Amino acid sequence: MNDEEYMHIALKLAEKGRGRVSPNPMVGAVIVKDGRIIGEGYHEKYGEQHAERKAIFSCTQPPSSADLYVNLEPCCHYGRQPPCVDAILESGIKRVVIGSADPNPQVCGNGIRSLRENGVIVTENVLREECLRLNQIFFHYIKTKQPFVIMKYAMTMDGKTAAYTGESEWITGEAARMHVQQQRRHFSAVMVGVGTVIADNPMLTCRIDSEKKLVRIICDSWLRTPYDAYVVTSAAQMPTYIATCCNDGDKQAAYVNAGCRVIVTKQRNGHTDLKELMSILGSEGIDSVILEGGGTLNWSALESGIVQKIQAYIAPKLLGGRAAPTPADGVGFPTLSDAVMLKNTVITRIGEDFLIESEVDRNVHGNC
C-alpha cells in the first residue's frame, strides 16, 4: 500500500467522530511498520484523547521507526489534551504523513516545524483536498469565528417545496427524511423561521440520537412564536434561542421564563440581521448551523451571504402551480450575474429521491 491508501484509512477513521468532536476537527491516525498496520485511532469525542495518542497506545508492537498517517497536522499546544507532537516524539516514530495543515493559530505549521526540528521526516498534503472537505466546518469556523451554515430543503423536480394549498408532507420519501436526521447529528444547531414553527410546530431534535443536544434557533423578527409551540414548552430541556429585533421586554420575558434564550439583533430589511446573529453564535462556540427554514428565511440567508453549502433533496414529482412555494422567496437577484454561484456539486441517490450538494463559491478554507 502507498501513502494515499493509508491516508484513505485515516480519513475513514476520522469520519467516525463526526458529530461528536465539535468544535474540534475530525482526525484519524494510522501507524505502519514494515508494511503492516500496527496501530489505529481516531478522535472519538470532544475532550477525549486525540487520534495520534490513541493510535500510539493501540500499537501491537513498539512504534519506533514506524510511519504515522494523520489527516491533520498534529497539535503542539496544551488544550484539554497534551500535545500530540510530544507523544509522537516520545514514541520514536520516524516519519509523519500529513493530509493538511491546521489553520488554528496555535498550531498552523508549528506542529510540522517541531517534528522536523526533532529529526522526524514529514510528508505534507497527501490527499489534501479530501482532508479539507472532511473538516470544512472546522476550517471555516477557526478562520472566520462564525458558524458554517448549510441550507437544506426538499423540493419536487419542478422546484416546489409544497403544493399551492400548503401541503408539504411528505415531499421526499422515508429514506431521505432519515438522512436529514442523520445530518442533524453533525451540526451544533438547527435554525428555522417563525413561519415554519407556526405552520409545522416542529420539535427540531435529533430523533436518532437522544444524546445530541442541538441548539434550536428560531428567527422570529417580531416575536410571533406561539407560547405553546413545542420549541418553547421544551426549552427547559433543549437549548432554544429566539433571534429577534423586537425590543419589547414584556414579550421577551414570556420566552425567557419558559427557558428560551432571546438574542436581539439590529434590523436588516425589516428582519433579524442574520450576519450579526452569526457573529453572536460564533462567539458562543456554535461552529455549525443547519438551516431548515422556508423560502423567506432562505432568501434572507442567501441575500445576507451567510450560507456556505446547499443540500437540496429532490423528489421525482411535479406539482406545478404559480402560487406553490419555492426554496427561496424574496425579491430575488436582479440578474444572472448576481446569482449565488455553486461549485463542487455531488449527486447521491437516496431511496427514490436525489440529494444534490453544492458549495457556495467562496474560498474560506485553505492554507494557514
Side-chain angles (χ1 to χ4, degrees):
M1 294 176 67
N2 58 30
D3 286 353
E4 291 190 352
E5 290 172 314
Y6 287 123
M7 188 61 74
H8 272 300
I9 296 174
L11 284 167
K12 288 181 180 178
L13 287 168
E15 177 71 36
K16 293 181 177 182
R18 186 179 293 277
R20 301 289 187 184
V21 301
S22 173
N24 284 350
M26 291 174 281
V27 182
V30 178
I31 298 175
V32 178
K33 188 171 184 178
D34 298 327
R36 293 189 305 107
I37 294 175
I38 63 169
E40 294 182 348
Y42 69 96
H43 187 28
E44 296 182 21
K45 190 175 182 181
Y46 177 66
E48 296 186 358
Q49 264 189 351
H50 291 180
E52 297 93 325
R53 287 182 175 270
K54 290 186 75 70
I56 290 168
F57 294 152
S58 77
C59 283
T60 55
Q61 64 183 86
S64 56
S65 301
D67 294 345
L68 167 67
Y69 294 83
V70 60
N71 58 290
L72 188 70
E73 177 182 4
C75 65
C76 54
H77 66 290
Y78 280 88
R80 284 176 171 256
Q81 294 291 328
C84 290
V85 164
D86 291 356
I88 294 169
L89 295 176
E90 291 166 5
S91 73
I93 285 171
K94 70 175 182 180
R95 177 172 176 252
V96 177
V97 182
I98 296 171
S100 69
D102 188 338
N104 185 338
Q106 293 180 295
V107 184
C108 201
N110 294 323
I112 293 170
R113 186 179 307 109
S114 179
L115 290 171
R116 284 179 170 152
E117 287 175 351
N118 285 277
V120 176
I121 300 168
V122 179
T123 302
E124 299 181 63
N125 298 324
V126 173
L127 297 185
R128 179 176 180 272
E129 292 305 315
E130 288 91 332
C131 293
L132 289 176
R133 280 197 296 273
L134 178 73
N135 278 308
Q136 279 182 321
I137 290 173
F138 172 75
F139 287 123
H140 175 84
Y141 181 71
I142 207 73
K143 297 190 72 165
T144 68
K145 301 304 180 187
Q146 296 194 8
F148 185 94
V149 179
I150 283 189
M151 177 187 292
K152 187 276 296 182
Y153 54 84
M155 68 180 189
T156 59
M157 202 170 283
D158 58 342
K160 308 299 183 181
T161 56
Y164 75 90
T165 59
E167 181 185 347
S168 61
E169 293 185 353
W170 295 102
I171 293 288
T172 54
E174 185 175 348
R177 299 198 299 275
M178 179 58 68
H179 189 264
V180 170
Q181 292 297 317
Q182 293 168 347
Q183 290 293 295
R184 284 185 180 177
R185 294 177 58 201
H186 306 160
F187 290 82
S188 297
V190 57
M191 186 165 77
V192 300
V194 63
T196 296
V197 174
I198 292 172
D200 301 334
N201 195 20
M203 275 293 289
L204 300 178
T205 56
C206 185
R207 293 196 294 271
I208 63 173
D209 186 352
S210 59
E211 293 184 8
K212 179 69 176 181
K213 297 296 184 183
L214 273 171
V215 175
R216 303 178 299 186
I217 304 166
I218 314 304
C219 289
D220 183 359
S221 301
W222 305 109
L223 294 181
R224 297 187 295 123
T225 300
Y227 298 133
D228 60 352
Y230 288 140
V231 290
V232 177
T233 59
S234 63
Q237 290 76 46
M238 295 289 293
T240 304
Y241 295 0
I242 297 183
T244 185
C245 41
C246 176
N247 286 301
D248 187 323
D250 291 335
K251 281 188 173 182
Q252 292 178 17
Y255 300 107
V256 173
N257 291 339
C260 299
R261 160 88 186 282
V262 176
I263 298 176
V264 180
T265 74
K266 300 186 299 291
Q267 283 190 47
R268 179 184 171 93
N269 299 326
H271 297 287
T272 303
D273 188 323
L274 295 181
K275 279 191 174 181
E276 183 181 357
L277 176 60
M278 290 304 112
S279 294
I280 294 170
L281 296 177
S283 70
E284 298 188 358
I286 294 176
D287 67 352
S288 54
V289 174
I290 183 165
L291 177 59
E292 298 187 6
T296 300
L297 181 59
N298 285 350
W299 164 250
S300 294
L302 291 172
E303 194 268 338
S304 297
I306 67 167
V307 180
Q308 279 70 55
K309 191 171 184 179
I310 306 294
Q311 287 186 329
Y313 292 83
I314 313 296
K317 303 172 183 175
L318 301 174
L319 271 173
R322 284 189 296 269
T326 60
D329 294 335
V331 296
F333 295 109
T335 68
L336 288 174
S337 62
D338 293 316
V340 175
M341 303 304 293
L342 306 176
K343 64 180 181 179
N344 298 333
T345 297
V346 176
I347 302 175
T348 306
R349 183 163 185 166
I350 304 176
E352 295 300 313
D353 305 309
F354 298 88
L355 171 61
I356 302 180
E357 299 177 278
S358 297
E359 298 169 22
V360 173
D361 193 3
R362 188 184 302 118
N363 186 22
V364 296
H365 56 68
N367 293 321
C368 302

